[in-house]
């Protein structure tokens, strides 16, 4: 069946024998295990008595089996899928390699002989176990057992049911209790695939002859094309029913939202429909509320910026702006700040469209333009509620900007977002909206600009030699900085990163504290003077330079640095006819 070296060992006794844990810690872990039902090794790691590396190293040595680092392992999806997904998830195993001598089986717990016996019966091959990290194993399972083929199969099944049917389409899918209907099973697989891939958005787009389903992963759309175009109507109507929208209205855009649970994760879905040439396009933003609001320590800010930002949000009054384009993580940063400010002695009111996260003790109001519940009207009412802190979801026009600024001048701390490219242009953008310059100069205290930059995939990372264009970029971002001999990184592309070379994103930030010189420039509405004062500020670290720091650490690539730098350089570094 399996290698003779894989014998039953008592992991707890071995850890005590090696001096890695005490007998008292073992007894505590055994008691915890009896309560939780988890494996002993997992319990010991959770309790912090032993690290995962120590545990895996001990298992590898004692059982004389290899340890496989799945981050560096290039897996083959068809090979992994030889083992049914249900078995792989139940036993926490993954099929790594198959040859004439048997199969190499990655196991979170290689002492589990029962699992090896069951997989031997399933595959009828000799099992050669290897020890792997459980977190990495589950990650690869999510990637390898992609729902793409299941989605295509269910789409074909739904298309066949619709073919030649005289039944009204709305009647066919209106029974929300029929979870076994093909349309519901198809939607379930679409959502499961998106959640497993950590997608932020799902796009459902009917074309002339096909239906496109695209997931935005790490800011980039990945596409699956289906020939069954007619199922688009069934999907859209079902989604409208779930969102409480008007299924008879197909000529006007509609917005809605609904909640669902996928693999134990609570997902809030914000949905937008729009009539297009060949039907209705649907875009769904996925908000995962399972882990709650991220604390400031987890949003990706460098320690020095977190220290300054925490100091600023503890001001008794003033306006703090977080800026950047859509999808740059502004709301995550602001909610992180709110979670720190949320104390019994502070009255906090938020005005949002929509309310993205529900927070205890905080009065959250969602605007509703159709009934006159606008940002301006809610803000006026909020200021009569005796708040200490007010969060304005977005400053959209002169009215909301002026009310927010006046509130910041009269004893309130106001947090808000603004759609600008960088910190330097944000104050001037408020003036461009039509707000009096003296208001901006007096109330604006701190501006944070941010982006999300893609991280190099740690499974296919390789050294990268800068191109001539990238060398020119480095000279512009870091003049006089010694960069010779530094090895940059880039991803080659692999199944784990969908062959993009990137996996995951991290925040890039710049922070500008408005000093006297900047305030005077705002009062005068002098672009050149404000930019000069900002760039001379000793604590100001531009976005492009912050991105370069991440590339120097090997976290991201020079390609990503160039993308971030290109988004902001026109407004911050170049002023027409003006010498800085």
């Amino acid at each position: 069946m399996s290698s003779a070296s894989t014998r039953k060992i008592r992991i707890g006794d071995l850890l005590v024998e090696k001096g890695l844990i005490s007998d008292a810690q073992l007894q505590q872990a055994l008691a915890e295990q009896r309560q939780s039902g988890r494996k002993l090794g997992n319990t010991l790691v959770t309790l912090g008595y032993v690290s995962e590396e120590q545990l895996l190293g001990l298992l590898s040595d004692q059982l004389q089996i290899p340890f496989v680092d799945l981050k560096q392992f290039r897996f083959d999806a068809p090979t992994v899928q030889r083992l049914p997904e249900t078995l792989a998830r139940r036993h926490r195993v993954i099929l790594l390699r198959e040859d004439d001598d048997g199969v190499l089986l990655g196991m979170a717990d290689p002492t589990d002989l029962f699992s090896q016996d069951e997989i031997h019966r399933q595959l009828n091959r000799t099992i050669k176990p290897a020890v792997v990290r459980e977190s990495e194993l589950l990650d690869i399972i999510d990637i390898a057992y992609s729902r793409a083929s299941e989605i295509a199969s269910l789409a074909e099944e739904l298309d066949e049911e619709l073919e030649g049917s005289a039944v009204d389409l709305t009647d066919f899918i209106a029974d929300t209790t029929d979870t076994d209907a093909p349309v519901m099973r198809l939607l379930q697989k679409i959502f499961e695939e998106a959640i497993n891939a950590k997608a932020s958005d799902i796009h459902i787009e009917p074309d002339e002859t096909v239906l496109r389903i695209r997931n935005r992963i790490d800011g980039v759309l990945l596409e699956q094309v289906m020939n069954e175009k007619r199922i688009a109507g069934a999907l859209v109507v079902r989604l409208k029913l779930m969102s409480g929208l008007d299924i008879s209205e197909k000529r006007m855009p509609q917005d809605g939202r609904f909640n669902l649970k996928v693999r134990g994760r609570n997902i809030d879905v914000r949905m937008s429909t729009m009539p297009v040439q060949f039907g209705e396009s649907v875009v769904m933003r996925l908000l995962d509320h399972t882990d709650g609001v991220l604390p400031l320590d987890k949003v990706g800010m460098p320690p020095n910026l977190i220290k300054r930002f925490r100091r600023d949000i503890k001001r008794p009054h003033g306006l703090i702006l977080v800026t950047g384009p859509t999808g740059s993580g502004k709301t995550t940063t602001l909610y992180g700040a709110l979670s720190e400010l949320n104390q019994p002695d502070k009255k906090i009111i938020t005005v949002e469209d929509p309310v993205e996260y529900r927070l205890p003790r905080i009065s959250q109001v969602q605007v509703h333009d159709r009934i006159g519940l606008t940002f301006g009207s809610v803000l006026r009412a909020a200021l009569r509620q005796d708040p200490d802190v007010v969060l304005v979801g977005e400053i959209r026009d002169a009215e909301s900007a002026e009310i927010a600024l006046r509130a910041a001048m009269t004893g309130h701390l106001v947090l808000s977002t603004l759609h600008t490219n960088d910190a330097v242009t944000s104050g001037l953008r408020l003036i461009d909206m039509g707000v009096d310059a003296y208001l901006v100069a007096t109330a604006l205290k701190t501006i944070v600009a941010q982006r999300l930059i893609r991280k190099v995939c740690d499974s296919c990372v390789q050294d990268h030699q800068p191109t001539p264009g990238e060398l020119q970029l480095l000279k512009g971002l870091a003049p006089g900085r010694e960069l010779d001999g530094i090895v940059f990184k880039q991803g080659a592309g692999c199944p784990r990163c969908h062959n993009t070379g990137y996996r995951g994103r991290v925040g890039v930030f710049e922070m500008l504290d408005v000093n006297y010189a900047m305030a005077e420039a705002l009062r005068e509405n002098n672009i050149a003077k404000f930019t000069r004062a900002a760039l001379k500020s000793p604590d100001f670290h531009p976005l492009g330079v912050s991105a370069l720091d991440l590339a120097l650490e090997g976290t991201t690539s020079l390609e990503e640095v160039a993308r971030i730098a290109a988004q902001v350089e026109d407004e911050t570094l170049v002023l027409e006819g003006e010498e800085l």
Side-chain angles (χ1 to χ4, degrees):
M1 183 225 32
S2 62
S3 171
S5 63
T6 307
R7 58 191 185 279
K8 186 66 178 175
I9 64 173
R10 295 173 62 87
I11 188 66
D13 293 339
L14 272 175
L15 288 166
V16 173
E17 182 184 322
K18 296 290 184 181
L20 294 174
I21 63 172
S22 67
D23 189 62
Q25 288 175 324
L26 174 60
Q27 296 308 315
Q28 176 66 33
L30 287 169
E32 178 71 23
Q33 181 198 21
R34 284 191 288 271
Q35 296 243 334
S36 66
R38 293 178 302 180
K39 292 183 179 295
L40 179 61
N42 185 280
T43 303
L44 287 163
V45 172
T46 302
L47 291 172
Y49 293 159
V50 65
S51 70
E52 189 176 25
E53 284 69 25
Q54 289 174 317
L55 181 64
L56 298 181
L58 180 67
L59 288 172
S60 178
D61 290 342
Q62 291 296 315
L63 296 174
Q64 297 180 355
I65 61 175
F67 166 73
V68 176
D69 185 354
L70 292 181
K71 282 186 177 180
Q72 306 300 324
F73 187 84
R74 295 291 188 92
F75 69 89
D76 176 60
T79 300
V80 173
Q81 291 167 8
R82 280 257 293 125
L83 188 66
E85 182 182 3
T86 52
L87 278 181
R89 289 191 183 278
R90 186 193 316 150
H91 296 299
R92 298 292 198 264
V93 298
I94 187 167
L95 194 59
L96 299 175
R97 192 167 55 240
E98 187 170 15
D99 54 33
D100 294 339
D101 297 330
V103 296
L104 181 65
L105 188 70
M107 305 185 70
D109 180 9
T111 67
D112 189 345
L113 301 181
F114 173 78
S115 296
Q116 294 183 42
D117 287 341
E118 186 166 351
I119 291 161
H120 170 68
R121 287 194 296 272
Q122 173 74 30
L123 299 177
N124 196 25
R125 298 295 310 275
T126 299
I127 304 299
K128 296 181 290 185
V131 61
V132 298
R133 294 186 183 91
E134 184 172 350
S135 57
E136 294 173 0
L137 179 148
L138 294 174
D139 203 15
I140 287 189
I141 286 176
D142 285 341
I143 297 167
Y145 292 96
S146 169
R147 266 61 183 177
S149 58
E150 290 183 60
I151 290 172
S153 174
L154 285 167
E156 187 176 346
E157 180 184 343
L158 177 58
D159 187 61
E160 289 173 359
E161 291 209 19
L162 293 174
E163 185 175 9
S165 173
V167 179
D168 182 72
L169 181 63
T170 303
D171 294 337
F172 176 73
I173 60 176
D175 183 7
T176 55
T177 62
D178 186 10
T179 55
D180 290 327
V183 67
M184 283 307 296
R185 286 187 281 128
L186 175 57
L187 280 174
Q188 181 183 356
K189 296 302 179 186
I190 288 172
F191 280 115
E192 284 183 356
E193 175 76 359
I195 298 303
N196 286 342
K198 297 181 173 60
S200 61
D201 302 84
I202 301 173
H203 295 238
I204 299 176
E205 303 167 338
D207 211 332
E208 184 173 10
T209 57
V210 297
L211 172 65
R212 304 180 194 277
I213 296 180
R214 302 199 283 175
N215 291 336
R216 188 174 294 281
I217 302 169
D218 294 335
V220 177
L221 286 171
L222 299 180
E223 180 176 85
Q224 181 176 0
V225 179
M226 300 181 185
N227 294 322
E228 298 81 11
K229 176 193 174 286
R230 74 179 123 196
I231 71 173
L235 291 176
V236 172
V237 174
R238 171 62 82 174
L239 288 168
K240 281 184 174 181
L241 287 168
M242 293 167 68
S243 303
L245 301 181
D246 183 357
I247 60 175
S248 64
E249 179 56 77
K250 300 179 180 178
R251 298 169 300 171
M252 296 291 291
Q254 296 187 68
D255 295 320
R257 67 190 300 170
F258 58 91
N259 295 289
L260 53 85
K261 198 163 189 175
V262 180
R263 291 194 176 277
R265 306 194 72 82
N266 295 312
I267 309 298
D268 188 14
V269 182
R270 296 207 321 250
M271 175 174 142
S272 171
T273 71
M274 184 174 67
V276 293
Q277 187 176 4
F278 300 107
E280 286 183 276
S281 169
V282 174
V283 177
M284 292 176 285
R285 169 66 56 88
L286 307 179
L287 299 170
D288 190 344
H289 293 304
T290 306
D291 299 324
V293 175
L294 284 179
L296 277 180
D297 300 289
K298 302 293 184 182
V299 301
M301 267 192 194
N304 62 317
L305 287 193
I306 289 181
K307 184 177 179 181
R308 289 170 56 196
F309 191 59
R310 280 182 169 143
R311 176 200 66 199
D312 292 342
I313 63 175
K314 289 177 182 175
R315 293 175 183 269
H317 55 81
L319 173 64
I320 296 177
L321 282 178
V322 179
T323 72
T326 302
S328 58
K330 301 186 298 295
T331 303
T332 301
T333 299
L334 283 181
Y335 271 96
L338 280 187
S339 66
E340 296 207 359
L341 292 170
N342 189 9
Q343 302 296 329
D345 62 343
K346 286 192 183 298
K347 169 79 170 183
I348 301 176
I349 299 176
T350 74
V351 187
E352 305 172 71
D353 183 21
V355 174
E356 295 196 13
Y357 293 92
R358 276 79 174 181
L359 296 173
R361 200 189 288 119
I362 294 179
S363 302
Q364 296 175 271
V365 184
Q366 180 163 324
V367 302
H368 199 322
D369 289 335
R370 289 183 182 175
I371 63 172
L373 198 64
T374 62
F375 272 104
S377 63
V378 176
L379 265 175
R380 289 189 186 91
L383 294 178
R384 294 193 290 270
Q385 293 278 310
D386 187 30
D388 297 293
V389 180
V390 178
L391 182 143
V392 184
E394 180 186 345
I395 291 180
R396 296 180 173 178
D397 50 35
E399 181 189 24
S400 57
E402 183 167 342
I403 298 171
L405 287 164
R406 289 191 182 279
M409 287 177 60
T410 55
H412 305 90
L413 178 67
V414 181
L415 309 176
S416 190
T417 69
L418 192 66
H419 285 279
T420 56
N421 276 344
D422 58 11
V424 172
T425 57
S426 299
L428 301 164
R429 190 63 51 85
L430 288 174
I431 296 173
D432 289 342
M433 285 182 173
V435 182
D436 289 336
Y438 83 90
L439 275 177
V440 180
T442 305
L444 184 59
K445 303 300 181 185
T446 302
I447 310 167
V448 175
Q450 65 181 81
R451 295 289 190 284
L452 292 176
I453 194 168
R454 292 186 292 173
K455 297 193 294 184
V456 172
C457 175
D458 52 14
S459 294
C460 59
V461 61
Q462 60 185 18
D463 293 348
H464 171 68
Q465 187 67 32
T467 64
E470 289 169 342
L471 287 172
Q472 192 66 30
L473 170 72
L474 292 173
K475 290 178 182 176
L477 288 176
R481 195 165 175 178
E482 183 55 54
L483 299 175
D484 290 340
I486 294 176
V487 179
F488 292 95
K489 300 295 182 181
Q490 185 169 294
C494 68
R496 283 173 64 96
C497 61
H498 306 282
N499 294 311
T500 63
Y502 299 98
R503 191 156 187 267
R505 292 188 290 178
V506 65
V508 179
F509 301 84
E510 69 180 18
M511 184 180 294
L512 189 61
D513 292 315
V514 179
N515 58 26
Y516 179 78
M518 294 180 217
E520 282 298 302
L522 286 173
R523 214 172 255 109
E524 300 167 10
N525 195 10
N526 189 324
I527 297 175
K529 186 176 178 181
F530 183 84
T531 304
R532 188 181 303 111
L535 295 179
K536 285 182 178 179
S537 176
D539 293 329
F540 181 64
H541 207 52
L543 277 170
V545 179
S546 298
L548 177 59
D549 290 341
L550 290 175
L552 293 172
E553 295 170 4
T555 301
T556 192
S557 69
L558 287 177
E559 176 186 43
E560 282 291 278
V561 175
R563 181 178 66 85
I564 294 295
Q567 289 177 351
V568 298
E569 65 178 356
D570 290 341
E571 295 196 53
T572 57
L573 301 180
V574 180
L575 298 174
E576 284 188 40
E578 192 74 39
E579 186 68 41
L580 293 179

